[in-house]
Amino acid sequence: RKEVEQDPGPFNVPEGATVAFNCTYSNSASQSFFWYRQDCRKEPKLLMSVYSSGNEDGRFTAQLNRASQYISLLIRDSKLSDSATYLCVEGGGGGNKLTFGTGTQLKVEL
Amino acid sequence: EPEVTQTPSHQVTQMGQEVILRCVPISNHLYFYWYRQILGQKVEFLVSFYNNEISEKSEIFDDQFSVERPDGSNFTLKIRSTKLEDSAMYFCASSAVQRNTEAFFGQGTRLTVV
């Protein structure tokens, strides 16, 4: 069973649209979750941490549902510059490792 | 803004050769990591390093791999005898505190084994 699972997409949306990604995880004991963004052939960059209470950062909102073991990312008023792959990441373990999903590709179009 | 830096950005090596990938983590960070990403695949954990020793490693991190922190700033990944399947982007990362914290990644070294 995959540890972190995401729909690979691509999601093609017009500029200004709202788009949501979901991700499921298998380890019920996981404590930390993150969304990273990865542009083509670049390093993953932290977008936001995901807390049990959920959190918002500008146009981005992340939610955690522990009962169903999924996290979500909502992007409002999408911009062309939001086009990237969004990586769902689970953190923790003895070595503090991060476990990445395969990523969801977003393409924002004019 | 502090950042993780990696050198070289691209390394081409012949199969069977040894390579050393270098990283300078963010200066006040305590945990250091190596990840790799084969083209078109997901980012995979290799190893984490804390307090001058390996704290966790994956199945990928076999005897061909080793890590070292030779001084107060550098963190290196050595692959002793490279194989074609070692071709990937290798990312170094670091994080500030022990648990449940985000990691910051370097720009990566693209390793091509021919």
Side-chain angles (χ1 to χ4, degrees), chain B residues 97-110:
Chain B
V97 297
Q98 184 168 354
R99 288 200 171 272
N100 301 331
T101 188
E102 60 272 10
F104 296 89
F105 286 75
Q107 80 280 15
T109 293
R110 180 166 300 282

Side-chain angles (χ1 to χ4, degrees), chain A residues 15-90:
Chain A
E15 204 174 12
T18 295
V19 61
F21 308 135
N22 288 332
C23 155
T24 58
Y25 61 93
S26 59
N27 184 1
S28 59
S30 293
Q31 294 296 312
S32 58
F33 304 91
F34 311 95
W35 284 101
Y36 279 75
R37 169 195 168 128
Q38 187 174 32
D39 293 287
C40 187
R41 295 179 177 259
K42 300 287 188 183
E43 76 274 22
K45 290 186 176 178
L46 178 69
L47 182 64
M48 59 199 307
S49 303
V50 188
Y51 304 114
S52 297
S53 54
N55 49 306
E56 186 174 314
D57 183 3
R59 298 182 293 109
F60 299 85
T61 301
Q63 297 272 346
L64 167 63
N65 184 322
R66 286 195 179 276
S68 301
Q69 292 184 213
Y70 80 80
I71 67 175
S72 63
L73 177 68
L74 183 77
I75 305 175
R76 291 181 296 277
D77 187 23
S78 52
K79 314 282 185 199
L80 294 175
S81 56
D82 293 335
S83 297
T85 297
Y86 289 83
L87 307 175
C88 177
V89 183
E90 170 198 39

